[in-house]
Amino acid sequence: MHDSLALKNTTTDFKRTLSLVQGLPFDMAREQYAKAVQMGLIQRSMLAWAKFERQIDMLEKITLGPWARRV
């Protein structure tokens, strides 16, 4: 019983790690957007950020399909 629990935990940890690695390019895009706003290259706007976030979320879902992260 202990071995099956350990295997289940390992599998869960692996899936979480894989999800984080797959989402890294999209998280990097979000970070770059935030840095561009901080530097003044992009106007600070909650509406623009919301539009950008929707586009990145859609791109992640299209690219990764069923492996895309869910909120």
Side-chain angles (χ1 to χ4, degrees):
M1 182 74 171
H2 180 66
D3 290 339
S4 64
L5 182 59
L7 179 60
K8 183 178 179 180
N9 289 341
T10 301
T11 303
T12 302
D13 291 345
F14 178 74
K15 286 180 181 179
R16 178 164 167 69
T17 301
L18 186 60
S19 174
L20 291 172
V21 169
Q22 288 175 329
L24 189 59
F26 306 101
D27 291 340
M28 290 173 59
R30 290 176 178 101
E31 180 69 21
Q32 290 301 313
Y33 185 93
K35 294 290 184 189
V37 169
Q38 289 174 351
M39 294 176 64
L41 300 174
I42 298 175
Q43 182 179 3
R44 189 177 302 266
S45 164
M46 289 176 63
L47 293 175
W49 169 254
K51 182 179 177 183
F52 174 78
E53 179 59 36
R54 282 192 307 274
Q55 291 171 340
I56 289 293
D57 183 61
M58 182 177 56
L59 184 60
E60 183 174 357
K61 288 177 180 168
I62 289 170
T63 304
L64 299 178
W67 296 284
R69 295 176 289 182
R70 308 272 187 246
V71 180

PDB file of all heavy atoms in Angstrom, residues 1-11:
ATOM      1  N   MET A   1       0.822  -1.190   0.000  1.00  0.00           N
ATOM      2  CA  MET A   1       0.000   0.000   0.000  1.00  0.00           C
ATOM      3  C   MET A   1       0.868   1.257   0.000  1.00  0.00           C
ATOM      4  O   MET A   1       0.577   2.195  -0.691  1.00  0.00           O
ATOM      5  CB  MET A   1      -0.926  -0.045   1.219  1.00  0.00           C
ATOM      6  CG  MET A   1      -1.857   1.124   1.307  1.00  0.00           C
ATOM      7  SD  MET A   1      -3.155   0.970   0.073  1.00  0.00           S
ATOM      8  CE  MET A   1      -4.195   2.266   0.553  1.00  0.00           C
ATOM      9  N   HIS A   2       1.934   1.245   0.777  1.00  0.00           N
ATOM     10  CA  HIS A   2       2.817   2.405   0.869  1.00  0.00           C
ATOM     11  C   HIS A   2       3.466   2.709  -0.481  1.00  0.00           C
ATOM     12  O   HIS A   2       3.595   3.875  -0.844  1.00  0.00           O
ATOM     13  CB  HIS A   2       3.873   2.161   1.945  1.00  0.00           C
ATOM     14  CG  HIS A   2       4.830   3.300   2.101  1.00  0.00           C
ATOM     15  ND1 HIS A   2       4.420   4.528   2.572  1.00  0.00           N
ATOM     16  CD2 HIS A   2       6.148   3.408   1.836  1.00  0.00           C
ATOM     17  CE1 HIS A   2       5.469   5.343   2.585  1.00  0.00           C
ATOM     18  NE2 HIS A   2       6.527   4.680   2.152  1.00  0.00           N
ATOM     19  N   ASP A   3       3.857   1.676  -1.220  1.00  0.00           N
ATOM     20  CA  ASP A   3       4.494   1.868  -2.525  1.00  0.00           C
ATOM     21  C   ASP A   3       3.532   2.496  -3.527  1.00  0.00           C
ATOM     22  O   ASP A   3       3.929   3.353  -4.322  1.00  0.00           O
ATOM     23  CB  ASP A   3       5.028   0.545  -3.069  1.00  0.00           C
ATOM     24  CG  ASP A   3       6.225   0.036  -2.288  1.00  0.00           C
ATOM     25  OD1 ASP A   3       6.879   0.863  -1.611  1.00  0.00           O
ATOM     26  OD2 ASP A   3       6.500  -1.170  -2.342  1.00  0.00           O
ATOM     27  N   SER A   4       2.273   2.091  -3.505  1.00  0.00           N
ATOM     28  CA  SER A   4       1.307   2.651  -4.450  1.00  0.00           C
ATOM     29  C   SER A   4       1.027   4.125  -4.133  1.00  0.00           C
ATOM     30  O   SER A   4       0.829   4.933  -5.041  1.00  0.00           O
ATOM     31  CB  SER A   4       0.007   1.849  -4.444  1.00  0.00           C
ATOM     32  OG  SER A   4      -0.627   1.930  -3.189  1.00  0.00           O
ATOM     33  N   LEU A   5       1.024   4.487  -2.864  1.00  0.00           N
ATOM     34  CA  LEU A   5       0.843   5.889  -2.478  1.00  0.00           C
ATOM     35  C   LEU A   5       2.034   6.729  -2.932  1.00  0.00           C
ATOM     36  O   LEU A   5       1.866   7.835  -3.439  1.00  0.00           O
ATOM     37  CB  LEU A   5       0.644   6.002  -0.969  1.00  0.00           C
ATOM     38  CG  LEU A   5       0.390   7.412  -0.425  1.00  0.00           C
ATOM     39  CD1 LEU A   5      -0.854   8.013  -1.069  1.00  0.00           C
ATOM     40  CD2 LEU A   5       0.239   7.372   1.077  1.00  0.00           C
ATOM     41  N   ALA A   6       3.224   6.194  -2.755  1.00  0.00           N
ATOM     42  CA  ALA A   6       4.433   6.900  -3.192  1.00  0.00           C
ATOM     43  C   ALA A   6       4.426   7.098  -4.702  1.00  0.00           C
ATOM     44  O   ALA A   6       4.786   8.164  -5.205  1.00  0.00           O
ATOM     45  CB  ALA A   6       5.677   6.136  -2.758  1.00  0.00           C
ATOM     46  N   LEU A   7       3.990   6.077  -5.447  1.00  0.00           N
ATOM     47  CA  LEU A   7       3.918   6.175  -6.904  1.00  0.00           C
ATOM     48  C   LEU A   7       2.888   7.225  -7.312  1.00  0.00           C
ATOM     49  O   LEU A   7       3.129   8.016  -8.226  1.00  0.00           O
ATOM     50  CB  LEU A   7       3.579   4.817  -7.511  1.00  0.00           C
ATOM     51  CG  LEU A   7       3.454   4.783  -9.029  1.00  0.00           C
ATOM     52  CD1 LEU A   7       4.774   5.209  -9.672  1.00  0.00           C
ATOM     53  CD2 LEU A   7       3.060   3.395  -9.495  1.00  0.00           C
ATOM     54  N   LYS A   8       1.765   7.246  -6.630  1.00  0.00           N
ATOM     55  CA  LYS A   8       0.725   8.229  -6.927  1.00  0.00           C
ATOM     56  C   LYS A   8       1.238   9.643  -6.673  1.00  0.00           C
ATOM     57  O   LYS A   8       1.019  10.544  -7.480  1.00  0.00           O
ATOM     58  CB  LYS A   8      -0.516   7.958  -6.081  1.00  0.00           C
ATOM     59  CG  LYS A   8      -1.656   8.889  -6.384  1.00  0.00           C
ATOM     60  CD  LYS A   8      -2.882   8.560  -5.560  1.00  0.00           C
ATOM     61  CE  LYS A   8      -3.997   9.538  -5.874  1.00  0.00           C
ATOM     62  NZ  LYS A   8      -5.190   9.256  -5.110  1.00  0.00           N
ATOM     63  N   ASN A   9       1.931   9.848  -5.561  1.00  0.00           N
ATOM     64  CA  ASN A   9       2.497  11.165  -5.247  1.00  0.00           C
ATOM     65  C   ASN A   9       3.537  11.580  -6.275  1.00  0.00           C
ATOM     66  O   ASN A   9       3.583  12.732  -6.695  1.00  0.00           O
ATOM     67  CB  ASN A   9       3.100  11.170  -3.845  1.00  0.00           C
ATOM     68  CG  ASN A   9       2.048  11.125  -2.759  1.00  0.00           C
ATOM     69  OD1 ASN A   9       0.892  11.433  -2.998  1.00  0.00           O
ATOM     70  ND2 ASN A   9       2.449  10.715  -1.569  1.00  0.00           N
ATOM     71  N   THR A  10       4.369  10.633  -6.680  1.00  0.00           N
ATOM     72  CA  THR A  10       5.399  10.922  -7.682  1.00  0.00           C
ATOM     73  C   THR A  10       4.758  11.299  -9.008  1.00  0.00           C
ATOM     74  O   THR A  10       5.183  12.253  -9.668  1.00  0.00           O
ATOM     75  CB  THR A  10       6.328   9.704  -7.872  1.00  0.00           C
ATOM     76  OG1 THR A  10       6.932   9.400  -6.619  1.00  0.00           O
ATOM     77  CG2 THR A  10       7.398   9.988  -8.903  1.00  0.00           C
ATOM     78  N   THR A  11       3.717  10.579  -9.391  1.00  0.00           N
ATOM     79  CA  THR A  11       3.015  10.867 -10.637  1.00  0.00           C
ATOM     80  C   THR A  11       2.364  12.246 -10.587  1.00  0.00           C
ATOM     81  O   THR A  11       2.450  13.017 -11.548  1.00  0.00           O
ATOM     82  CB  THR A  11       1.942   9.784 -10.903  1.00  0.00           C
ATOM     83  OG1 THR A  11       2.575   8.509 -10.930  1.00  0.00           O
ATOM     84  CG2 THR A  11       1.226  10.026 -12.210  1.00  0.00           C
TER      85      THR A  11
END
